[in-house]
Coordinates of all heavy atoms in Angstrom, one line a residue:
K450 N 84.5 -66.9 39.6 CA 84.7 -67.1 38.2 C 84.6 -65.8 37.4 O 84.7 -65.9 36.2 CB 83.7 -68.1 37.7 CG 83.9 -69.5 38.1 CD 85.3 -70.0 37.7 CE 85.6 -71.4 38.3 NZ 87.0 -71.8 37.9
G451 N 84.3 -64.7 38.0 CA 84.4 -63.4 37.3 C 83.2 -62.5 37.5 O 82.3 -62.8 38.3
R452 N 83.3 -61.4 36.8 CA 82.3 -60.3 36.9 C 81.4 -60.4 35.7 O 81.8 -60.6 34.6 CB 82.9 -58.9 37.0 CG 83.5 -58.6 38.4 CD 83.8 -57.2 38.5 NE 85.0 -56.8 37.6 CZ 85.4 -55.6 37.4 NH1 84.7 -54.6 38.0 NH2 86.4 -55.3 36.6
V453 N 80.1 -60.1 35.9 CA 79.1 -60.1 34.8 C 78.7 -58.6 34.7 O 77.9 -58.2 35.5 CB 77.9 -61.0 35.0 CG1 77.0 -61.0 33.8 CG2 78.4 -62.4 35.3
G454 N 79.2 -57.9 33.7 CA 79.1 -56.4 33.8 C 78.0 -55.8 32.9 O 77.8 -54.6 33.0
T455 N 77.3 -56.6 32.1 CA 76.3 -56.0 31.2 C 75.0 -56.8 31.3 O 75.0 -57.9 31.8 CB 76.8 -55.9 29.8 OG1 77.0 -57.2 29.3 CG2 78.0 -55.1 29.6
G456 N 73.9 -56.2 30.7 CA 72.7 -57.0 30.6 C 71.6 -56.5 31.6 O 70.6 -57.2 31.9
Y457 N 71.8 -55.3 32.3 CA 70.9 -54.9 33.4 C 70.1 -53.7 32.9 O 70.6 -52.5 33.2 CB 71.7 -54.6 34.6 CG 72.7 -55.7 35.0 CD1 74.1 -55.5 34.8 CD2 72.3 -56.9 35.5 CE1 75.0 -56.5 35.1 CE2 73.1 -57.9 35.8 CZ 74.5 -57.7 35.6 OH 75.4 -58.7 35.9
N458 N 69.0 -53.9 32.3 CA 68.1 -52.8 32.1 C 67.3 -52.5 33.3 O 67.4 -53.2 34.3 CB 67.2 -53.0 30.8 CG 66.4 -54.3 30.9 OD1 66.0 -54.7 32.1 ND2 66.1 -54.9 29.8
Q459 N 66.4 -51.5 33.2 CA 65.6 -51.1 34.4 C 64.7 -52.2 34.9 O 64.6 -52.4 36.1 CB 64.8 -49.8 34.1 CG 64.2 -49.2 35.3 CD 65.2 -48.8 36.4 OE1 66.2 -48.2 36.1 NE2 64.9 -49.1 37.6
A460 N 64.1 -52.9 34.0 CA 63.2 -54.0 34.4 C 64.0 -55.1 35.1 O 63.5 -55.6 36.1 CB 62.5 -54.6 33.1
V461 N 65.2 -55.4 34.7 CA 66.0 -56.4 35.3 C 66.4 -56.0 36.7 O 66.3 -56.7 37.7 CB 67.3 -56.8 34.5 CG1 68.2 -57.6 35.3 CG2 66.9 -57.5 33.2
V462 N 66.8 -54.7 36.8 CA 67.3 -54.2 38.1 C 66.2 -54.2 39.1 O 66.3 -54.6 40.3 CB 67.9 -52.8 37.9 CG1 68.1 -52.1 39.3 CG2 69.1 -52.8 37.1
S463 N 65.0 -53.8 38.7 CA 63.8 -53.7 39.6 C 63.4 -55.0 40.2 O 62.9 -55.1 41.3 CB 62.6 -53.0 38.9 OG 62.2 -53.8 37.8
K464 N 63.7 -56.1 39.4 CA 63.3 -57.4 39.9 C 64.5 -58.1 40.7 O 64.2 -58.8 41.7 CB 63.0 -58.3 38.7 CG 62.6 -59.7 39.0 CD 62.3 -60.6 37.8 CE 62.0 -62.0 38.2 NZ 61.7 -62.8 37.0
L465 N 65.7 -57.8 40.2 CA 66.9 -58.5 40.8 C 67.4 -57.9 42.1 O 67.8 -58.6 43.0 CB 68.0 -58.6 39.7 CG 69.3 -59.3 40.1 CD1 69.0 -60.8 40.5 CD2 70.2 -59.3 38.9
L466 N 67.4 -56.6 42.1 CA 68.0 -55.9 43.2 C 67.3 -56.2 44.6 O 68.1 -56.5 45.6 CB 68.0 -54.4 43.0 CG 68.9 -53.5 43.8 CD1 70.3 -54.0 43.7 CD2 68.8 -52.1 43.4
P467 N 66.0 -56.3 44.7 CA 65.4 -56.7 46.0 C 65.8 -58.1 46.4 O 66.0 -58.3 47.6 CB 63.9 -56.6 45.7 CG 63.8 -55.7 44.5 CD 65.0 -55.9 43.7
Q468 N 66.0 -59.0 45.5 CA 66.4 -60.4 45.9 C 67.8 -60.3 46.4 O 68.2 -61.1 47.4 CB 66.3 -61.3 44.7 CG 64.9 -61.4 44.1 CD 64.8 -62.4 43.0 OE1 65.0 -63.6 43.1 NE2 64.5 -61.9 41.8
L469 N 68.7 -59.6 45.8 CA 70.1 -59.5 46.2 C 70.2 -58.8 47.6 O 70.9 -59.3 48.5 CB 70.9 -58.6 45.2 CG 71.1 -59.2 43.9 CD1 71.7 -58.2 42.9 CD2 72.1 -60.4 44.0
R470 N 69.4 -57.8 47.9 CA 69.4 -57.1 49.2 C 69.0 -58.1 50.3 O 69.5 -58.0 51.4 CB 68.5 -55.9 49.1 CG 69.1 -54.8 48.3 CD 68.2 -53.6 48.1 NE 68.8 -52.5 47.4 CZ 68.1 -51.5 46.8 NH1 66.8 -51.5 46.9 NH2 68.7 -50.5 46.2
K471 N 68.1 -59.0 50.0 CA 67.6 -59.9 51.1 C 68.7 -60.9 51.4 O 68.7 -61.5 52.5 CB 66.4 -60.6 50.6 CG 65.1 -59.8 50.5 CD 63.9 -60.6 50.0 CE 62.7 -59.8 49.9 NZ 61.5 -60.5 49.4
L472 N 69.7 -61.1 50.5 CA 70.7 -62.2 50.7 C 72.0 -61.5 51.2 O 73.0 -62.3 51.2 CB 70.9 -62.9 49.4 CG 69.7 -63.7 48.9 CD1 70.0 -64.3 47.6 CD2 69.3 -64.8 49.9
K473 N 72.0 -60.3 51.6 CA 73.3 -59.6 51.9 C 73.9 -60.2 53.1 O 73.3 -60.6 54.1 CB 73.0 -58.1 52.2 CG 74.2 -57.3 52.6 CD 73.8 -55.9 52.8 CE 75.0 -55.0 53.3 NZ 74.7 -53.6 53.5
V474 N 75.3 -60.4 53.0 CA 76.1 -61.0 54.1 C 77.3 -60.1 54.3 O 77.6 -59.3 53.4 CB 76.5 -62.4 53.9 CG1 75.3 -63.3 53.9 CG2 77.2 -62.6 52.6
K475 N 78.1 -60.3 55.4 CA 79.2 -59.4 55.6 C 80.5 -59.9 54.9 O 81.3 -59.1 54.6 CB 79.4 -59.3 57.1 CG 78.3 -58.6 57.9 CD 78.6 -58.5 59.4 CE 77.5 -57.7 60.1 NZ 77.8 -57.6 61.6
A476 N 80.7 -61.2 54.8 CA 81.9 -61.7 54.3 C 81.8 -62.3 52.9 O 80.7 -62.8 52.5 CB 82.5 -62.7 55.3
S477 N 82.9 -62.4 52.2 CA 82.9 -63.0 50.9 C 82.6 -64.4 50.9 O 83.2 -65.2 51.7 CB 84.2 -62.7 50.2 OG 84.3 -63.5 49.0
P478 N 81.7 -65.0 50.1 CA 81.4 -66.4 50.1 C 82.4 -67.2 49.2 O 82.5 -68.4 49.3 CB 80.0 -66.5 49.4 CG 80.0 -65.3 48.5 CD 80.8 -64.2 49.2
F479 N 83.3 -66.4 48.5 CA 84.3 -67.1 47.6 C 85.5 -67.5 48.4 O 85.9 -66.8 49.4 CB 84.7 -66.1 46.5 CG 83.6 -65.7 45.6 CD1 83.2 -64.3 45.7 CD2 83.0 -66.5 44.7 CE1 82.1 -63.9 44.9 CE2 81.9 -66.1 43.9 CZ 81.5 -64.8 44.0
E480 N 86.0 -68.7 48.1 CA 87.3 -69.1 48.7 C 88.4 -69.1 47.6 O 88.2 -69.3 46.4 CB 87.1 -70.6 49.2 CG 86.1 -70.7 50.3 CD 86.0 -72.0 51.0 OE1 86.9 -72.8 50.7 OE2 85.0 -72.3 51.6
G481 N 89.6 -68.9 48.1 CA 90.7 -68.8 47.2 C 90.8 -67.5 46.5 O 90.7 -66.4 47.1
T482 N 90.8 -67.5 45.1 CA 90.8 -66.3 44.4 C 89.6 -65.4 44.6 O 88.5 -65.8 44.7 CB 90.9 -66.6 42.9 OG1 92.0 -67.4 42.6 CG2 91.0 -65.3 42.0
Q483 N 89.9 -64.1 44.9 CA 88.9 -63.1 45.2 C 88.7 -62.1 44.1 O 89.6 -61.8 43.4 CB 89.2 -62.5 46.6 CG 89.1 -63.4 47.8 CD 87.7 -63.9 48.1 OE1 86.8 -63.1 48.1 NE2 87.6 -65.1 48.4
P484 N 87.5 -61.5 44.0 CA 87.3 -60.4 43.0 C 88.2 -59.3 43.4 O 88.6 -59.0 44.5 CB 85.8 -60.1 43.2 CG 85.2 -61.2 43.9 CD 86.3 -61.8 44.8
A485 N 88.5 -58.5 42.3 CA 89.3 -57.3 42.5 C 88.5 -56.3 43.4 O 87.2 -56.3 43.3 CB 89.6 -56.7 41.2
S486 N 89.2 -55.6 44.2 CA 88.5 -54.6 45.1 C 87.7 -53.6 44.3 O 88.3 -52.9 43.4 CB 89.5 -54.0 46.0 OG 88.9 -53.0 46.8
L487 N 86.5 -53.4 44.7 CA 85.6 -52.4 44.1 C 84.9 -51.6 45.2 O 84.4 -52.2 46.2 CB 84.6 -53.0 43.2 CG 85.0 -53.6 41.8 CD1 83.9 -54.3 41.1 CD2 85.6 -52.5 40.9
K488 N 84.9 -50.3 45.1 CA 84.3 -49.5 46.1 C 82.8 -49.8 46.2 O 82.1 -49.7 45.2 CB 84.5 -48.0 45.9 CG 84.0 -47.1 47.0 CD 84.3 -45.7 46.7 CE 83.8 -44.7 47.8 NZ 84.1 -43.3 47.5
G489 N 82.3 -50.2 47.4 CA 80.9 -50.4 47.6 C 80.5 -51.8 47.3 O 79.3 -52.1 47.2
L490 N 81.4 -52.8 47.1 CA 81.1 -54.2 46.8 C 80.3 -54.8 47.9 O 80.5 -54.6 49.1 CB 82.4 -55.0 46.6 CG 82.3 -56.4 46.0 CD1 81.8 -56.3 44.6 CD2 83.6 -57.1 46.0
I491 N 79.2 -55.5 47.5 CA 78.3 -56.1 48.5 C 78.2 -57.6 48.3 O 78.0 -58.1 47.2 CB 76.8 -55.5 48.3 CG1 76.9 -54.0 48.6 CG2 75.9 -56.2 49.3 CD1 75.6 -53.3 48.3
W492 N 78.4 -58.4 49.4 CA 78.4 -59.8 49.3 C 77.0 -60.4 49.6 O 76.2 -59.8 50.3 CB 79.4 -60.5 50.3 CG 80.8 -59.9 50.3 CD1 81.4 -59.2 51.2 CD2 81.7 -60.1 49.2 NE1 82.7 -58.9 50.8 CE2 82.9 -59.4 49.5 CE3 81.7 -60.8 47.9 CZ2 84.0 -59.4 48.7 CZ3 82.8 -60.7 47.1 CH2 83.9 -60.1 47.5
V493 N 76.7 -61.5 49.0 CA 75.4 -62.1 49.2 C 75.6 -63.6 49.4 O 76.6 -64.2 49.0 CB 74.4 -61.9 48.0 CG1 74.2 -60.4 47.8 CG2 74.9 -62.5 46.7
K494 N 74.6 -64.2 50.0 CA 74.6 -65.7 50.1 C 74.5 -66.3 48.7 O 73.7 -65.8 47.9 CB 73.4 -66.2 50.9 CG 73.4 -65.8 52.4 CD 72.2 -66.3 53.1 CE 72.2 -65.9 54.6 NZ 70.9 -66.4 55.3
P495 N 75.3 -67.3 48.4 CA 75.4 -67.9 47.1 C 74.1 -68.8 46.9 O 74.2 -70.0 47.0 CB 76.7 -68.7 47.1 CG 76.9 -69.0 48.5 CD 76.4 -67.9 49.3
Q496 N 73.0 -68.2 46.5 CA 71.8 -68.9 46.3 C 71.2 -68.7 45.0 O 70.6 -69.6 44.4 CB 70.8 -68.5 47.4 CG 71.2 -69.0 48.8 CD 70.1 -68.6 49.8 OE1 69.0 -68.1 49.5 NE2 70.4 -68.9 51.1
L497 N 71.3 -67.5 44.4 CA 70.7 -67.2 43.1 C 71.5 -67.8 42.0 O 72.7 -67.7 42.0 CB 70.5 -65.7 42.9 CG 69.7 -64.9 43.9 CD1 69.7 -63.4 43.7 CD2 68.2 -65.5 43.9
V498 N 70.8 -68.3 41.0 CA 71.5 -68.9 39.8 C 71.2 -68.0 38.6 O 70.1 -67.7 38.3 CB 71.0 -70.3 39.5 CG1 71.6 -70.8 38.3 CG2 71.2 -71.2 40.7
A499 N 72.3 -67.5 38.0 CA 72.2 -66.6 36.8 C 72.6 -67.3 35.5 O 73.6 -68.1 35.5 CB 73.1 -65.4 37.1
E500 N 71.9 -67.1 34.5 CA 72.3 -67.5 33.2 C 73.2 -66.5 32.6 O 72.8 -65.3 32.5 CB 71.0 -67.7 32.3 CG 71.3 -68.2 30.9 CD 71.2 -69.7 30.8 OE1 70.9 -70.4 31.8 OE2 71.5 -70.2 29.7
V501 N 74.4 -66.9 32.1 CA 75.4 -65.9 31.7 C 75.9 -66.3 30.3 O 76.1 -67.5 30.0 CB 76.6 -65.9 32.7 CG1 77.7 -65.0 32.1 CG2 76.1 -65.4 34.0
E502 N 76.0 -65.3 29.4 CA 76.6 -65.5 28.1 C 78.0 -64.9 28.2 O 78.1 -63.8 28.7 CB 75.7 -64.9 27.0 CG 76.2 -65.1 25.6 CD 75.3 -64.5 24.6 OE1 75.4 -63.3 24.4 OE2 74.4 -65.3 24.1
Y503 N 79.0 -65.6 27.6 CA 80.4 -65.0 27.7 C 81.2 -65.3 26.5 O 80.8 -66.2 25.7 CB 81.1 -65.6 29.0 CG 81.1 -67.1 29.0 CD1 82.2 -67.8 28.4 CD2 80.1 -67.9 29.6 CE1 82.2 -69.2 28.5 CE2 80.1 -69.2 29.6 CZ 81.2 -69.9 29.0 OH 81.2 -71.3 29.0
A504 N 82.3 -64.6 26.3 CA 83.1 -64.7 25.1 C 84.2 -65.8 25.3 O 84.6 -66.4 24.3 CB 83.8 -63.4 24.8
G505 N 84.6 -66.1 26.5 CA 85.6 -67.1 26.7 C 86.2 -67.0 28.1 O 85.6 -66.4 29.0
W506 N 87.4 -67.5 28.3 CA 88.0 -67.6 29.6 C 89.4 -67.1 29.6 O 90.1 -67.3 28.5 CB 88.0 -69.0 30.1 CG 86.7 -69.7 30.3 CD1 85.9 -70.2 29.3 CD2 85.9 -69.8 31.5 NE1 84.7 -70.7 29.8 CE2 84.7 -70.5 31.2 CE3 86.2 -69.5 32.9 CZ2 83.8 -70.8 32.2 CZ3 85.2 -69.8 33.8 CH2 84.0 -70.5 33.5
T507 N 89.9 -66.5 30.7 CA 91.3 -66.2 30.7 C 92.1 -67.5 31.1 O 91.5 -68.5 31.4 CB 91.5 -65.2 31.8 OG1 91.2 -65.7 33.1 CG2 90.7 -63.9 31.6
A508 N 93.4 -67.4 31.0 CA 94.2 -68.5 31.3 C 94.0 -69.0 32.7 O 94.2 -70.2 33.0 CB 95.7 -68.2 31.1
D509 N 93.6 -68.2 33.7 CA 93.4 -68.6 35.0 C 92.0 -68.9 35.4 O 91.6 -68.9 36.5 CB 94.0 -67.6 36.0 CG 93.5 -66.2 35.8 OD1 92.8 -66.0 34.8 OD2 93.8 -65.3 36.6
G510 N 91.2 -69.1 34.3 CA 89.8 -69.5 34.5 C 88.8 -68.5 34.9 O 87.8 -68.8 35.6
I511 N 89.0 -67.2 34.5 CA 88.0 -66.2 34.8 C 87.3 -65.8 33.5 O 87.9 -65.7 32.4 CB 88.8 -64.9 35.3 CG1 89.5 -65.3 36.6 CG2 87.8 -63.8 35.6 CD1 88.6 -65.8 37.8
L512 N 86.0 -65.6 33.7 CA 85.1 -65.2 32.5 C 85.6 -63.9 31.8 O 86.0 -63.0 32.5 CB 83.7 -65.0 33.0 CG 82.9 -66.3 33.4 CD1 81.6 -65.9 34.0 CD2 82.6 -67.1 32.1
R513 N 85.4 -63.9 30.5 CA 85.7 -62.7 29.7 C 84.5 -62.3 29.0 O 83.7 -63.1 28.5 CB 86.8 -63.0 28.7 CG 88.1 -63.5 29.3 CD 89.2 -63.6 28.3 NE 89.6 -62.3 27.9 CZ 90.6 -62.1 27.0 NH1 91.2 -63.1 26.4 NH2 91.0 -60.8 26.6
Q514 N 84.2 -61.0 29.1 CA 83.1 -60.3 28.4 C 81.8 -61.0 28.7 O 81.0 -61.4 27.8 CB 83.4 -60.3 26.9 CG 84.7 -59.7 26.5 CD 84.8 -58.2 26.8 OE1 83.8 -57.5 27.0 NE2 86.0 -57.7 27.0
A515 N 81.4 -61.1 30.0 CA 80.2 -61.8 30.4 C 79.0 -60.9 30.4 O 79.1 -59.7 30.8 CB 80.4 -62.5 31.8
A516 N 77.8 -61.4 30.0 CA 76.6 -60.6 30.0 C 75.5 -61.4 30.7 O 75.4 -62.6 30.5 CB 76.2 -60.3 28.6

Side-chain angles (χ1 to χ4, degrees):
K450 291 299 173 183
R452 286 191 291 171
V453 183
T455 61
Y457 311 107
N458 57 31
Q459 189 58 45
V461 169
V462 172
S463 63
K464 179 181 178 181
L465 181 56
L466 197 54
Q468 298 182 66
L469 291 170
R470 287 171 175 166
K471 291 180 181 179
L472 297 173
K473 180 178 178 181
V474 294
K475 293 182 178 180
S477 169
F479 301 109
E480 296 187 16
T482 302
Q483 293 291 318
S486 177
L487 288 172
K488 186 178 180 180
L490 192 64
I491 299 172
W492 306 114
V493 299
K494 293 180 181 179
Q496 294 182 4
L497 298 178
V498 177
E500 181 94 3
V501 176
E502 185 176 81
Y503 57 91
W506 300 79
T507 65
D509 53 354
I511 300 299
L512 286 169
R513 301 187 69 179
Q514 306 297 335

